[in-house]
Amino acid sequence: MSETLEKPGAERDAGFAKAEGTPISALVQLRQSSAWKWATPAQREVLQRIAAQRDQRLLARLTRARQAALLASAERVDANAPLLQRLAMFARLHPTTLASAGVAAVLMIGPRRLLRVVRGSLPTLLPMLLKLKR
């Protein structure tokens, strides 16, 4: 084996390196790699599409992380936010109010009727809850 060979996966790991606080684009990494120099035009097209997909996923991941950080640092409910986001923010900011409202609803409805309602609505609620976890 030659000493000039790079460590396997070194090009892939270079994506985690940061230049001025932002990740390096997959397209820039591709054009700097040795695979780019030896690729045919058809292979370069495929490699460019793969790099573009990686950049899109990186952008989506960074956007989700930024939104999560903004939500975590929020100290008030935004009036222009969607209803579900406002309800979630209210619940995060006022957990005791939410708990007391839940206890009051359970006491008012009664345990048997509450179990009946939950059993009936569970098949509808489960897919929505699974989507929220993603």
PDB file of all heavy atoms in Angstrom, residues 74-88:
ATOM      1  N   ALA A  74     -37.513  30.566  23.353  1.00  0.00           N
ATOM      2  CA  ALA A  74     -38.627  31.527  23.373  1.00  0.00           C
ATOM      3  C   ALA A  74     -39.169  31.690  24.793  1.00  0.00           C
ATOM      4  O   ALA A  74     -39.291  30.724  25.535  1.00  0.00           O
ATOM      5  CB  ALA A  74     -39.734  31.058  22.444  1.00  0.00           C
ATOM      6  N   GLU A  75     -39.500  32.916  25.134  1.00  0.00           N
ATOM      7  CA  GLU A  75     -40.031  33.198  26.462  1.00  0.00           C
ATOM      8  C   GLU A  75     -41.466  33.711  26.417  1.00  0.00           C
ATOM      9  O   GLU A  75     -42.033  34.062  27.438  1.00  0.00           O
ATOM     10  CB  GLU A  75     -39.133  34.217  27.164  1.00  0.00           C
ATOM     11  CG  GLU A  75     -37.756  33.678  27.428  1.00  0.00           C
ATOM     12  CD  GLU A  75     -36.865  34.680  28.134  1.00  0.00           C
ATOM     13  OE1 GLU A  75     -37.373  35.753  28.533  1.00  0.00           O
ATOM     14  OE2 GLU A  75     -35.688  34.392  28.263  1.00  0.00           O
ATOM     15  N   ARG A  76     -42.030  33.783  25.222  1.00  0.00           N
ATOM     16  CA  ARG A  76     -43.413  34.218  25.099  1.00  0.00           C
ATOM     17  C   ARG A  76     -44.025  33.532  23.888  1.00  0.00           C
ATOM     18  O   ARG A  76     -43.332  33.014  23.027  1.00  0.00           O
ATOM     19  CB  ARG A  76     -43.514  35.723  24.960  1.00  0.00           C
ATOM     20  CG  ARG A  76     -42.842  36.272  23.740  1.00  0.00           C
ATOM     21  CD  ARG A  76     -42.937  37.798  23.686  1.00  0.00           C
ATOM     22  NE  ARG A  76     -42.315  38.293  22.486  1.00  0.00           N
ATOM     23  CZ  ARG A  76     -42.914  38.382  21.312  1.00  0.00           C
ATOM     24  NH1 ARG A  76     -44.173  38.007  21.169  1.00  0.00           N
ATOM     25  NH2 ARG A  76     -42.267  38.842  20.268  1.00  0.00           N
ATOM     26  N   VAL A  77     -45.342  33.553  23.818  1.00  0.00           N
ATOM     27  CA  VAL A  77     -46.074  32.932  22.719  1.00  0.00           C
ATOM     28  C   VAL A  77     -46.178  33.933  21.572  1.00  0.00           C
ATOM     29  O   VAL A  77     -46.623  35.067  21.774  1.00  0.00           O
ATOM     30  CB  VAL A  77     -47.475  32.486  23.188  1.00  0.00           C
ATOM     31  CG1 VAL A  77     -48.243  31.865  22.047  1.00  0.00           C
ATOM     32  CG2 VAL A  77     -47.357  31.511  24.335  1.00  0.00           C
ATOM     33  N   ASP A  78     -45.766  33.515  20.375  1.00  0.00           N
ATOM     34  CA  ASP A  78     -45.849  34.379  19.202  1.00  0.00           C
ATOM     35  C   ASP A  78     -47.285  34.395  18.689  1.00  0.00           C
ATOM     36  O   ASP A  78     -47.867  33.351  18.404  1.00  0.00           O
ATOM     37  CB  ASP A  78     -44.895  33.874  18.114  1.00  0.00           C
ATOM     38  CG  ASP A  78     -44.865  34.771  16.896  1.00  0.00           C
ATOM     39  OD1 ASP A  78     -45.289  35.933  17.006  1.00  0.00           O
ATOM     40  OD2 ASP A  78     -44.396  34.309  15.833  1.00  0.00           O
ATOM     41  N   ALA A  79     -47.862  35.563  18.563  1.00  0.00           N
ATOM     42  CA  ALA A  79     -49.264  35.682  18.142  1.00  0.00           C
ATOM     43  C   ALA A  79     -49.468  35.298  16.681  1.00  0.00           C
ATOM     44  O   ALA A  79     -50.571  34.913  16.287  1.00  0.00           O
ATOM     45  CB  ALA A  79     -49.747  37.110  18.361  1.00  0.00           C
ATOM     46  N   ASN A  80     -48.429  35.356  15.862  1.00  0.00           N
ATOM     47  CA  ASN A  80     -48.570  35.035  14.444  1.00  0.00           C
ATOM     48  C   ASN A  80     -48.248  33.576  14.127  1.00  0.00           C
ATOM     49  O   ASN A  80     -48.332  33.158  12.977  1.00  0.00           O
ATOM     50  CB  ASN A  80     -47.651  35.938  13.615  1.00  0.00           C
ATOM     51  CG  ASN A  80     -48.072  37.386  13.724  1.00  0.00           C
ATOM     52  OD1 ASN A  80     -49.245  37.689  13.848  1.00  0.00           O
ATOM     53  ND2 ASN A  80     -47.094  38.280  13.700  1.00  0.00           N
ATOM     54  N   ALA A  81     -47.874  32.808  15.119  1.00  0.00           N
ATOM     55  CA  ALA A  81     -47.522  31.407  14.911  1.00  0.00           C
ATOM     56  C   ALA A  81     -48.781  30.576  14.664  1.00  0.00           C
ATOM     57  O   ALA A  81     -49.894  30.978  15.045  1.00  0.00           O
ATOM     58  CB  ALA A  81     -46.780  30.873  16.126  1.00  0.00           C
ATOM     59  N   PRO A  82     -48.632  29.401  14.037  1.00  0.00           N
ATOM     60  CA  PRO A  82     -49.785  28.510  13.856  1.00  0.00           C
ATOM     61  C   PRO A  82     -50.351  28.068  15.213  1.00  0.00           C
ATOM     62  O   PRO A  82     -49.647  28.081  16.230  1.00  0.00           O
ATOM     63  CB  PRO A  82     -49.206  27.307  13.104  1.00  0.00           C
ATOM     64  CG  PRO A  82     -47.931  27.787  12.519  1.00  0.00           C
ATOM     65  CD  PRO A  82     -47.434  28.891  13.386  1.00  0.00           C
ATOM     66  N   LEU A  83     -51.613  27.664  15.211  1.00  0.00           N
ATOM     67  CA  LEU A  83     -52.310  27.330  16.448  1.00  0.00           C
ATOM     68  C   LEU A  83     -51.596  26.239  17.235  1.00  0.00           C
ATOM     69  O   LEU A  83     -51.413  26.354  18.452  1.00  0.00           O
ATOM     70  CB  LEU A  83     -53.752  26.916  16.139  1.00  0.00           C
ATOM     71  CG  LEU A  83     -54.584  26.488  17.347  1.00  0.00           C
ATOM     72  CD1 LEU A  83     -54.754  27.676  18.302  1.00  0.00           C
ATOM     73  CD2 LEU A  83     -55.931  25.967  16.914  1.00  0.00           C
ATOM     74  N   LEU A  84     -51.184  25.160  16.567  1.00  0.00           N
ATOM     75  CA  LEU A  84     -50.523  24.072  17.282  1.00  0.00           C
ATOM     76  C   LEU A  84     -49.218  24.540  17.920  1.00  0.00           C
ATOM     77  O   LEU A  84     -48.884  24.140  19.033  1.00  0.00           O
ATOM     78  CB  LEU A  84     -50.258  22.895  16.343  1.00  0.00           C
ATOM     79  CG  LEU A  84     -51.481  22.073  15.959  1.00  0.00           C
ATOM     80  CD1 LEU A  84     -51.103  20.983  14.963  1.00  0.00           C
ATOM     81  CD2 LEU A  84     -52.109  21.468  17.187  1.00  0.00           C
ATOM     82  N   GLN A  85     -48.489  25.378  17.223  1.00  0.00           N
ATOM     83  CA  GLN A  85     -47.242  25.889  17.777  1.00  0.00           C
ATOM     84  C   GLN A  85     -47.520  26.796  18.983  1.00  0.00           C
ATOM     85  O   GLN A  85     -46.802  26.759  19.978  1.00  0.00           O
ATOM     86  CB  GLN A  85     -46.462  26.652  16.715  1.00  0.00           C
ATOM     87  CG  GLN A  85     -45.089  27.073  17.153  1.00  0.00           C
ATOM     88  CD  GLN A  85     -44.325  27.744  16.034  1.00  0.00           C
ATOM     89  OE1 GLN A  85     -44.796  27.819  14.901  1.00  0.00           O
ATOM     90  NE2 GLN A  85     -43.153  28.243  16.347  1.00  0.00           N
ATOM     91  N   ARG A  86     -48.571  27.603  18.903  1.00  0.00           N
ATOM     92  CA  ARG A  86     -48.930  28.456  20.035  1.00  0.00           C
ATOM     93  C   ARG A  86     -49.338  27.622  21.236  1.00  0.00           C
ATOM     94  O   ARG A  86     -48.961  27.931  22.374  1.00  0.00           O
ATOM     95  CB  ARG A  86     -50.064  29.410  19.651  1.00  0.00           C
ATOM     96  CG  ARG A  86     -49.592  30.565  18.792  1.00  0.00           C
ATOM     97  CD  ARG A  86     -50.687  31.550  18.553  1.00  0.00           C
ATOM     98  NE  ARG A  86     -51.643  30.952  17.608  1.00  0.00           N
ATOM     99  CZ  ARG A  86     -52.801  31.474  17.261  1.00  0.00           C
ATOM    100  NH1 ARG A  86     -53.190  32.605  17.801  1.00  0.00           N
ATOM    101  NH2 ARG A  86     -53.577  30.880  16.399  1.00  0.00           N
ATOM    102  N   LEU A  87     -50.128  26.555  20.990  1.00  0.00           N
ATOM    103  CA  LEU A  87     -50.543  25.684  22.094  1.00  0.00           C
ATOM    104  C   LEU A  87     -49.345  24.976  22.720  1.00  0.00           C
ATOM    105  O   LEU A  87     -49.250  24.862  23.951  1.00  0.00           O
ATOM    106  CB  LEU A  87     -51.569  24.661  21.600  1.00  0.00           C
ATOM    107  CG  LEU A  87     -52.945  25.218  21.235  1.00  0.00           C
ATOM    108  CD1 LEU A  87     -53.805  24.128  20.610  1.00  0.00           C
ATOM    109  CD2 LEU A  87     -53.620  25.806  22.450  1.00  0.00           C
ATOM    110  N   ALA A  88     -48.427  24.511  21.881  1.00  0.00           N
ATOM    111  CA  ALA A  88     -47.235  23.846  22.405  1.00  0.00           C
ATOM    112  C   ALA A  88     -46.378  24.805  23.214  1.00  0.00           C
ATOM    113  O   ALA A  88     -45.844  24.443  24.272  1.00  0.00           O
ATOM    114  CB  ALA A  88     -46.427  23.243  21.253  1.00  0.00           C
TER     115      ALA A  88
END
